[in-house]
Amino acid sequence: MATVWHEVLHVCKQSGARYGILHTPHGDFETPIFMPVGTKANVKTLIPEEIKEVSDGLILANTYHLWLQPGDEVVKEFGGVRGFMNWDGALLTDSGGFQVFSLSKIRKITEEGVEFRHHKSGEKLFITPEKSISIQNNLGADIIMSFDECPPFNSSREYMIDSVDRTIRWAKRGKEAHKNPETQSLFGIVQGGGYKDIRKHSIDELEKIGFEGYSIGGLSVGESKEEMYEMLEYLKDIMPYNKPRYLMGVGSPDDLIIGSINGVDMFDCVLPTRNARHGTAFTSEGKIQVKNQNLKLSKDPLDKECKCFVCQRYTRGYLNHLVKAEEILGMRLISYHNLYFLRNLMHQIREAIKEDRLLDFKEEFFKKFGYK
Amino acid sequence: MATVWHEVLHVCKQSGARYGILHTPHGDFETPIFMPVGTKANVKTLIPEEIKEVSDGLILANTYHLWLQPGDEVVKEFGGVRGFMNWDGALLTDSGGFQVFSLSKIRKITEEGVEFRHHKSGEKLFITPEKSISIQNNLGADIIMSFDECPPFNSSREYMIDSVDRTIRWAKRGKEAHKNPETQSLFGIVQGGGYKDIRKHSIDELEKIGFEGYSIGGLSVGESKEEMYEMLEYLKDIMPYNKPRYLMGVGSPDDLIIGSINGVDMFDCVLPTRNARHGTAFTSEGKIQVKNQNLKLSKDPLDKECKCFVCQRYTRGYLNHLVKAEEILGMRLISYHNLYFLRNLMHQIREAIKEDRLLDFKEEFFKKFGYK
């Protein structure tokens, strides 16, 4: 038995969305699930008890950042990311590939790996599929990712084929380099941008190598929502059924719903915490800018329907003041609320799947939230 | 009966320090007490439950800041600072005087009040003793302060006499303007810089007006420790015995101990939270810079003797990482620890007073902490 596996317990008769259980060494989780991002071994502003309250108990940390600081060897000394940050829930790490391609302007891709410059210091660095896995072995997450290139969505067909084939070879090398298959499950990452046949090729080849889950990379990277949704619809029928499907870097409410409709089991995104630090809060009636002048005297909670402690206790007026005063507490309280909002959204999505009404739920939610 | 009053229950036979109880409408507090500063209606990074854990339940908010943003009328709408920030403990506000003099470079003092420029926008503003009290009436703290000028410690004798006499007249005007004497206790502020006779004059005149407590202003404003301690020693015998004595803006461990030895009952300071935001932590063996490279691999807590949740759970190595990564969580955890450290220090001071051994405690603490 794999260390991480996924059971589909119900398929929504209305939408085809999957409700299931993701089993991991540190907990079993209902899916579809949203994973808060703890980039540098902390979900920004929050302590583990709070992360438990606003998540389902599975979070993500970033390989790239922790490799560069404090270093994966250091993190390993503290018992991996979980020990380091005192998190007893489950953990996933990405491959670092996305950051190498998005944060670093100067890079050179070869068959061996990627040479790039540190996004702050400018230091020259080199990462290979083996190195990515080695770092992730040290970080010790339950679920780890194959090192991939994340090419722009609209790369040329020729470049995309080359890139995807290389990423497949990298995935194979990564699997061979993986030292802890008994404790850490390795996922392959499907790439291919907007080319359906290349996506199909990517899936087929990754399946031949064999992974414990399949991630969808290269979406939500600048393409239009229509393009993303079309690809998700295509992937829905060709992704391996019995393995967990993880849509990387996706986390806006509409995308979580549409992703679920298209059979995605796992999501992650910095959006709820990043939005919070910029004073944007999710509410059941849409996003609000907390520092808007018209909230100054409001005694309402951020979201009247929300049961989180921030909404039970704090007014929009007080939060408006904290954001305007640039108080850290404001970022903290809105981060908590935004994550709680997404946790609750995922709960609603799962209930709707079980009740075979996810398309109805989508309509209701979109209307209320103000999506077109 | 005054709304706030102080009982001296024991005087340390070794040091003359006072152990007592400060009674307020929102709790009775053992003294000497340290009050965390919640400048803008929040103790930076922390929520009220946490403030309860790291304080004795009495905190301070700043009149100047809340007057300017969101405005005292706004705060009043939300039930005062306590309602606004959801704090059910006791509260003290300062007069705003100190900030007018320390934050604003351009100002003009007249008998009527002080004209000054907003420290950020440059907007021209005017504050009077009546205005300060009116703002504080709106903010609704249990303990409020007379509006005072805080002249530099080494002002000329002539200027100091003029200033103190004006501050006394301002205190009288403030008392007359005070609208809520049944719910808010008004303290007078003793000024006089380094001049003992002027300090004495200030006390005598304030006593004639009559206040429910007496604050010591104009210390810890740039003078030497020796000058401050000499003045505290002098004030010890001439401050009204039956009223609470509050040394404003003081909060380093040595000053808290020496202040207590000199009969001070109440203290406040931004030091523990400001230090935390700059990565400096108090420990029983002295201050440490949390980002020091030699802590990178340390599995020790910040302070082995500390019982706070940060020290129970987090390593110096992890905190070192958070501070280097400029993570808000690092500021939050160290803020919590630093305040807890001072709360515990005050507890130790009170125990030592009750056991008539505060001078011994001072020796022990200074030696271990590394003070000369």
Side-chain angles (χ1 to χ4, degrees):
Chain A
M1 182 68 87
T3 59
V4 167
W5 76 102
H6 185 251
E7 294 178 277
V8 177
L9 297 181
H10 184 81
V11 174
C12 176
K13 293 188 179 62
Q14 192 180 57
S15 68
R18 301 144 56 100
Y19 166 77
I21 304 283
L22 181 73
H23 300 270
T24 83
H26 295 103
D28 300 330
F29 306 100
E30 290 181 290
T31 60
I33 186 172
F34 176 79
M35 304 178 287
V37 178
T39 297
K40 298 177 183 176
N42 79 109
V43 175
K44 288 187 193 298
T45 78
L46 303 180
I47 60 172
E49 284 91 328
E50 292 158 354
I51 304 171
K52 282 274 170 79
E53 291 165 9
V54 299
S55 75
D56 289 311
L58 169 57
I59 64 172
L60 178 147
N62 289 119
T63 291
Y64 174 88
H65 293 89
L66 291 170
W67 169 41
L68 298 182
Q69 201 242 300
D72 51 299
E73 298 281 355
V74 172
V75 175
K76 185 185 183 185
E77 275 296 304
F78 288 87
V81 172
R82 295 175 66 258
F84 196 43
M85 69 180 284
N86 204 38
W87 171 247
D88 66 3
L91 183 74
L92 180 152
T93 46
D94 61 4
S95 71
F98 181 75
Q99 282 74 24
V100 166
F101 294 101
S102 65
L103 293 179
S104 176
K105 295 275 170 264
I106 304 156
R107 57 181 181 263
K108 194 179 141 197
I109 304 169
T110 63
E111 183 63 24
E112 178 61 13
V114 186
E115 186 182 286
F116 67 101
R117 298 250 178 208
H118 188 291
H119 64 287
K120 285 188 180 164
S121 72
E123 185 193 351
K124 198 181 275 188
L125 294 159
F126 192 65
I127 189 165
T128 64
E130 291 81 4
K131 180 69 184 170
S132 167
I133 297 296
S134 162
I135 297 166
Q136 294 185 77
N137 285 160
N138 283 336
L139 298 179
D142 301 291
I143 301 171
I144 67 176
M145 296 294 131
S146 295
F147 187 69
D148 61 322
E149 183 187 347
C150 182
F153 189 83
N154 291 319
S155 301
S156 73
R157 186 173 174 80
E158 191 184 359
Y159 185 84
M160 194 64 84
I161 290 172
D162 277 358
S163 167
V164 164
D165 279 337
R166 186 169 45 237
T167 286
I168 290 163
R169 292 190 296 273
W170 284 356
K172 189 163 192 293
R173 282 166 54 190
K175 186 177 175 184
E176 283 159 9
H178 182 20
K179 289 187 215 73
N180 310 322
E182 342 62 52
T183 53
Q184 299 184 280
S185 275
L186 179 61
F187 281 28
I189 302 183
V190 176
Q191 291 285 358
Y195 302 98
K196 288 179 184 166
D197 58 336
I198 303 177
R199 289 273 181 186
K200 173 83 167 68
H201 172 69
S202 173
I203 293 170
D204 291 343
E205 296 303 313
L206 289 173
E207 264 202 282
K208 283 184 200 160
I209 304 169
F211 292 94
E212 299 188 50
Y214 295 88
S215 306
I216 303 166
L219 290 183
S220 196
V221 292
E223 78 284 8
S224 71
K225 294 245 178 199
E226 290 67 31
E227 288 172 308
M228 175 164 106
Y229 295 164
E230 188 185 333
M231 186 53 72
L232 286 176
E233 212 177 319
Y234 173 71
L235 293 173
K236 179 176 189 171
D237 296 324
I238 62 168
M239 295 279 288
Y241 184 87
N242 289 316
K243 294 291 168 80
R245 302 167 175 187
Y246 162 31
L247 178 54
M248 305 180 84
V250 160
S252 63
D254 51 349
D255 291 352
L256 292 171
I257 295 171
I258 308 270
S260 298
I261 287 172
N262 287 301
V264 172
D265 306 305
M266 302 161 66
F267 301 90
D268 82 283
C269 196
V270 296
L271 192 71
T273 42
R274 181 174 291 166
N275 270 353
R277 294 196 304 284
H278 294 106
T280 302
F282 294 130
T283 85
S284 50
E285 295 179 342
K287 284 193 286 185
I288 58 169
Q289 296 302 323
V290 180
K291 73 175 170 189
N292 272 355
Q293 195 58 16
N294 60 5
L295 303 188
K296 186 173 182 175
L297 290 169
S298 171
K299 289 174 186 164
D300 288 334
L302 277 182
D303 183 359
K304 283 181 189 171
E305 295 182 15
C306 181
K307 292 183 168 51
C308 87
F309 96 93
V310 177
C311 289
Q312 298 312 304
R313 252 197 253 175
Y314 293 102
T315 59
R316 289 178 165 204
Y318 180 61
L319 293 163
N320 172 271
H321 161 66
L322 291 181
V323 172
K324 279 198 283 198
E326 295 175 2
E327 289 285 336
I328 286 173
L329 182 61
M331 301 180 187
R332 173 180 165 188
L333 295 176
I334 302 170
S335 292
Y336 185 101
H337 166 79
N338 280 355
L339 286 171
Y340 189 97
F341 180 87
L342 289 194
R343 180 196 180 173
N344 186 48
L345 172 60
M346 297 314 295
H347 175 76
Q348 292 175 297
I349 289 172
R350 292 191 299 265
E351 291 305 302
I353 294 172
K354 288 192 271 183
E355 293 164 6
D356 298 312
R357 55 181 301 281
L358 186 56
L359 296 181
D360 293 344
F361 174 77
K362 180 201 153 195
E363 289 300 311
E364 294 155 16
F365 183 91
F366 272 46
K367 189 173 172 196
K368 198 165 170 186
F369 198 82
Y371 283 130
K372 295 284 158 31
Chain B
M1 182 69 85
T3 59
V4 166
W5 77 102
H6 185 251
E7 294 178 277
V8 177
L9 297 181
H10 185 80
V11 174
C12 174
K13 292 185 181 64
Q14 193 181 55
S15 69
R18 298 143 59 100
Y19 166 76
I21 304 282
L22 181 73
H23 300 271
T24 83
H26 295 102
D28 300 329
F29 305 99
E30 290 180 290
T31 60
I33 186 172
F34 176 79
M35 305 178 287
V37 177
T39 297
K40 298 176 182 176
N42 79 109
V43 176
K44 287 187 194 297
T45 77
L46 302 180
I47 60 172
E49 284 90 330
E50 292 159 352
I51 305 171
K52 283 274 170 79
E53 291 165 9
V54 298
S55 75
D56 289 311
L58 170 56
I59 64 172
L60 179 146
N62 287 119
T63 292
Y64 174 88
H65 293 90
L66 292 169
W67 170 41
L68 299 182
Q69 200 242 299
D72 51 298
E73 299 282 355
V74 172
V75 175
K76 186 185 182 183
E77 275 297 305
F78 289 86
V81 173
R82 295 177 65 257
F84 196 42
M85 68 180 283
N86 204 39
W87 171 247
D88 66 3
L91 182 73
L92 179 153
T93 45
D94 61 5
S95 71
F98 181 75
Q99 281 74 24
V100 166
F101 294 101
S102 64
L103 293 178
S104 176
K105 295 275 170 264
I106 303 154
R107 56 181 181 263
K108 193 177 141 199
I109 304 169
T110 63
E111 184 63 25
E112 179 60 12
V114 186
E115 187 182 285
F116 66 100
R117 298 253 178 206
H118 188 290
H119 64 287
K120 285 187 180 164
S121 73
E123 184 192 350
K124 197 180 276 188
L125 295 159
F126 192 65
I127 189 164
T128 64
E130 291 82 4
K131 180 68 185 171
S132 167
I133 297 295
S134 162
I135 297 165
Q136 293 185 78
N137 285 161
N138 284 335
L139 298 180
D142 302 290
I143 302 172
I144 66 177
M145 296 294 132
S146 296
F147 187 69
D148 61 323
E149 183 188 348
C150 181
F153 190 82
N154 292 318
S155 301
S156 73
R157 186 173 174 82
E158 192 183 356
Y159 185 84
M160 194 63 85
I161 290 171
D162 277 358
S163 166
V164 164
D165 280 337
R166 186 168 47 237
T167 286
I168 291 162
R169 292 190 296 273
W170 283 357
K172 188 162 193 296
R173 281 165 54 189
K175 186 177 175 183
E176 282 159 9
H178 182 22
K179 290 186 215 73
N180 310 323
E182 340 64 51
T183 53
Q184 298 184 282
S185 275
L186 179 60
F187 281 28
I189 302 182
V190 176
Q191 291 285 359
Y195 301 99
K196 289 179 183 167
D197 59 335
I198 303 177
R199 290 273 180 184
K200 174 81 167 71
H201 171 69
S202 173
I203 293 170
D204 290 344
E205 294 303 312
L206 290 172
E207 265 203 280
K208 283 184 200 161
I209 303 168
F211 292 93
E212 299 187 51
Y214 294 88
S215 306
I216 303 167
L219 290 183
S220 196
V221 291
E223 78 284 9
S224 70
K225 293 246 179 198
E226 290 67 32
E227 287 172 311
M228 175 165 105
Y229 294 164
E230 187 185 333
M231 186 54 72
L232 286 175
E233 212 177 319
Y234 173 72
L235 292 172
K236 179 176 189 172
D237 297 323
I238 63 168
M239 295 280 288
Y241 183 88
N242 289 316
K243 295 292 169 78
R245 302 168 175 185
Y246 162 32
L247 178 54
M248 306 179 84
V250 161
S252 61
D254 51 348
D255 291 353
L256 292 171
I257 295 171
I258 307 269
S260 297
I261 288 171
N262 288 301
V264 172
D265 306 306
M266 303 161 66
F267 302 89
D268 82 283
C269 195
V270 296
L271 192 70
T273 42
R274 181 173 292 165
N275 270 353
R277 294 197 303 285
H278 294 105
T280 302
F282 293 130
T283 84
S284 50
E285 295 179 343
K287 284 194 286 187
I288 58 170
Q289 296 303 322
V290 180
K291 73 174 168 189
N292 272 356
Q293 194 58 17
N294 61 4
L295 302 188
K296 187 171 182 176
L297 290 169
S298 171
K299 290 175 185 164
D300 288 334
L302 278 181
D303 183 358
K304 284 181 191 172
E305 295 183 15
C306 181
K307 293 183 168 53
C308 87
F309 95 95
V310 177
C311 289
Q312 298 310 305
R313 254 198 253 174
Y314 293 103
T315 59
R316 288 178 165 202
Y318 181 61
L319 294 163
N320 171 271
H321 161 66
L322 291 180
V323 172
K324 279 198 282 198
E326 295 175 2
E327 288 287 335
I328 286 172
L329 182 61
M331 300 180 188
R332 172 179 166 188
L333 295 176
I334 303 171
S335 292
Y336 185 100
H337 166 79
N338 279 355
L339 287 170
Y340 190 97
F341 181 87
L342 289 194
R343 180 197 179 172
N344 186 48
L345 172 62
M346 296 314 294
H347 175 75
Q348 291 175 297
I349 289 172
R350 292 191 297 266
E351 291 305 302
I353 294 172
K354 288 194 269 183
E355 293 165 4
D356 298 312
R357 55 182 300 282
L358 186 56
L359 296 182
D360 294 344
F361 174 77
K362 180 200 153 197
E363 290 299 312
E364 294 154 17
F365 183 91
F366 272 46
K367 191 175 170 194
K368 198 164 169 187
F369 197 84
Y371 283 131
K372 296 286 158 29

